[in-house]
Amino acid sequence: MKRRIKPFTLFLCMLIGIYLLIGTKIFLFDYNKDKHRYNNDLESAPLWTGIITLWDVSYVETGTGSNANWLNPWIDKFERQNPGVFIDVRKLNPQRAEMYFSGSIDKDILPDIITIPPHQVFNSSTLYEDLSIYFNQEELERIVPLAQKSILGEDYIRGVPIMMGTYALFFNKDLLREQEISIEDTEINYAALDNIMNRFPYTKGERGKEINYYGFGSYNTRYSKPILSMIYNNKGKIQDDLGYKYIHSWLGKEKLVPEDIANSDKDTAMKLFLEEQRVGMFLGNTRTLYRARALQSQGKGFELGISILPLEGKEGLFQDQIISYGLIKKDDKEKTEMAIAFLKSLLNDEAQIDLKRIGMFPIVKDIDGIYENDPEMQILEERLENFKFYPNDSYWQDNIDEIMKIFSVESNDESGMLE
């Protein structure tokens, strides 16, 4: 006797069969979709992941804050855009950095990226990666000429310039008014500067002591040499330059400038000008301006004047206030390419405009006017093109000993003085 399949059982078997057929297709579709999505993620992920080390060495002062204040948000952005890539920054002073390059250099402990000294002390032809193949002509020409000089060798590119500062003359208008001197121009010549110097030095009796007041102050360190910006000329005998003659005459007169100005550090020199208020005019970097503003906000400052440096017969001015990063030679092409991608990201318009947060200037040609709401910084920004010479110049290299003799002028030495 045949057993008959009940209608309900038949319906249930058909339902299970349909479910197994359709469910399997759905499962396979979802699996393939997830697999496709996973492959897309692989295609968009960085080809290299890991840690890129950067040593940020403080050769050049920013106007305010520090280089890290500007770097950090752009590092965060690059890391978000490149999952699995991390930029590890270590801040070093120049003395500590140089310890790693004395004697036999161990590249295993060196970083991937490092700040390039403006006054070169490392053998760049063997230390830094040549970046020529990573920059096309259009990218290179976008960088302002002075910043190009900071990275270009005869046949190689030793790094990437990121930002620049500048030098300027700053005046204590209150102190000058006491000597019946008024400074209103933002462009001043050497004759006017010498007129200020003729009213100094003098002494005041304060709290039982004789206090000296000076017409001119500045500093001279291993990596920052503002006085050279007034005396340097890229042609002929350096002693024939008008700026050289004036500075030589000031340094050669007894007590006309602060003692040991040839070896004075920035902080000591700025303190004499900004806090003790014993200097009529001061040659320094943009941090001078921001420190003066900070003191004014505390009610401890004075009325500050500012002027660009006089050209007067020069083709251009000298300065060493450029921050550039080089890549230490390593045997990892993919990591090198990622490090270069990071450095190039710091040259985008948004990052360069953001330099106003730390009182520095862009190094790309198509960005200017970032200080349109800051009249004093705008004055300096508009004259950046006056600075054409850098410590890489062959004339500087060939004549460095002769140029630096200005700092060994004997008091009352009349040789080379103005007539």
Side-chain angles (χ1 to χ4, degrees):
M1 184 177 183
K2 294 182 178 180
R3 297 182 63 184
R4 299 181 62 184
I5 301 175
K6 294 181 180 181
F8 177 77
T9 303
L10 180 63
F11 172 75
L12 186 60
C13 290
M14 291 175 63
L15 188 62
I16 292 172
I18 292 170
Y19 174 79
L20 290 172
L21 179 65
I22 296 176
T24 300
K25 286 185 176 181
I26 292 173
F27 172 78
L28 290 173
F29 174 77
D30 285 344
Y31 170 78
N32 287 331
K33 183 172 68 174
D34 287 342
K35 183 178 179 182
H36 178 68
R37 181 168 62 244
Y38 175 71
N39 285 337
N40 281 345
D41 287 344
L42 280 180
E43 291 170 2
S44 62
L47 295 175
W48 179 90
T49 58
I51 298 175
I52 296 172
T53 54
L54 186 158
W55 286 3
D56 185 40
V57 189
S58 54
Y59 298 116
V60 175
E61 277 189 321
T62 54
T64 185
S66 72
N67 197 21
N69 297 136
W70 175 79
L71 266 179
N72 288 338
W74 300 108
I75 289 174
D76 291 343
K77 182 177 181 179
F78 185 81
E79 291 176 345
R80 289 196 304 270
Q81 293 173 339
N82 298 274
V85 177
F86 302 94
I87 312 295
D88 183 25
V89 179
R90 179 184 177 189
K91 291 193 67 64
L92 282 80
N93 61 41
Q95 294 75 24
R96 179 171 290 276
E98 286 182 26
M99 288 174 56
Y100 292 96
F101 298 92
S102 59
S104 179
I105 298 175
D106 184 357
K107 285 192 176 182
D108 290 336
I109 64 174
L110 295 182
D112 301 301
I113 303 172
I114 190 169
T115 312
I116 299 175
H119 295 272
Q120 190 62 36
V121 295
F122 307 144
N123 187 348
S124 59
S125 62
T126 58
L127 177 69
Y128 300 119
E129 190 81 39
D130 180 10
L131 306 185
S132 300
I133 63 173
Y134 301 103
F135 278 86
N136 59 44
Q137 194 61 29
E138 183 179 350
E139 288 175 317
L140 195 58
E141 289 180 354
R142 185 171 178 249
I143 298 171
V144 299
L146 184 66
Q148 287 186 35
K149 285 189 174 186
S150 74
I151 59 164
L152 293 180
E154 291 184 5
D155 55 358
Y156 64 92
I157 299 175
R158 64 177 180 167
V160 180
I162 301 300
M163 66 181 76
M164 65 189 299
T166 193
Y167 292 126
L169 283 165
F170 302 92
F171 302 94
N172 182 332
K173 287 190 170 184
D174 296 345
L175 191 60
L176 294 183
R177 269 195 289 267
E178 292 180 9
Q179 302 302 310
E180 299 180 346
I181 301 171
S182 176
I183 298 291
E184 303 300 335
D185 295 334
T186 57
E187 297 188 33
I188 197 166
N189 58 34
Y190 282 110
L193 297 180
D194 199 48
N195 181 52
I196 293 174
M197 297 300 293
N198 289 334
R199 307 292 181 93
F200 292 87
Y202 63 85
T203 60
K204 281 185 179 180
E206 298 176 9
R207 298 174 184 174
K209 294 182 179 179
E210 291 293 318
I211 305 299
N212 295 321
Y213 288 78
Y214 306 98
F216 176 76
S218 189
Y219 51 88
N220 179 54
T221 69
R222 188 171 185 183
Y223 300 106
S224 184
K225 302 180 180 297
I227 291 176
L228 297 185
S229 63
M230 288 184 69
I231 70 174
Y232 186 81
N233 204 327
N234 204 43
K235 61 181 181 180
K237 291 180 63 177
I238 188 67
Q239 292 86 353
D240 293 336
D241 179 79
L242 188 60
Y244 191 99
K245 290 180 178 181
Y246 274 103
I247 298 289
H248 187 283
S249 70
W250 300 346
L251 299 185
K253 292 179 181 178
E254 188 175 3
K255 295 184 179 180
L256 192 62
V257 298
E259 189 175 350
D260 203 26
I261 192 173
N263 301 300
S264 178
D265 64 87
K266 291 187 293 290
D267 291 337
T268 300
M270 285 189 183
K271 181 179 179 182
L272 194 67
F273 174 60
L274 295 173
E275 298 178 30
E276 299 181 20
Q277 301 183 25
R278 293 167 50 200
V279 175
M281 62 175 169
F282 184 81
L283 173 58
N285 60 14
T286 51
R287 181 161 289 244
T288 311
L289 172 60
Y290 286 92
R291 284 189 178 179
R293 289 174 175 176
L295 288 170
Q296 288 170 346
S297 68
Q298 300 168 18
K300 301 176 182 178
F302 50 82
E303 186 180 355
L304 185 75
I306 188 170
S307 171
I308 62 172
L309 303 181
L311 276 169
E312 290 194 78
K314 298 180 190 287
E315 294 178 359
L317 301 171
F318 173 98
Q319 70 127 303
D320 49 20
Q321 297 294 285
I322 296 177
I323 296 178
S324 301
Y325 292 123
L327 269 67
I328 303 295
K329 283 184 178 179
K330 302 279 180 80
D331 296 325
D332 191 334
K333 183 179 179 182
E334 291 182 346
K335 186 176 186 179
T336 295
E337 290 175 348
M338 185 60 69
I340 292 169
F342 165 66
L343 292 179
K344 283 189 174 183
S345 74
L346 301 179
L347 301 182
N348 71 55
D349 289 2
E350 190 179 3
Q352 289 287 293
I353 292 171
D354 189 47
L355 287 169
K356 63 186 176 184
R357 280 196 301 112
I358 58 169
M360 298 297 275
F361 302 100
I363 55 87
V364 293
K365 293 177 181 176
D366 47 353
I367 297 177
D368 54 23
I370 68 172
Y371 288 103
E372 58 183 6
N373 297 319
D374 186 333
E376 291 166 316
M377 286 295 285
Q378 186 178 34
I379 290 168
L380 304 183
E381 183 181 23
E382 290 174 347
R383 294 298 185 273
L384 286 175
E385 61 185 17
N386 287 355
F387 293 89
K388 300 183 185 298
F389 305 119
Y390 193 75
N392 282 2
D393 286 330
S394 57
Y395 184 84
W396 162 264
Q397 298 293 336
D398 294 341
N399 295 276
I400 182 171
D401 292 337
E402 196 66 25
I403 295 168
M404 296 302 289
K405 282 181 180 178
I406 195 163
F407 293 114
S408 57
V409 174
E410 296 289 339
S411 293
N412 297 317
D413 177 6
E414 298 297 323
S415 61
M417 302 281 277
L418 291 176
E419 295 180 358

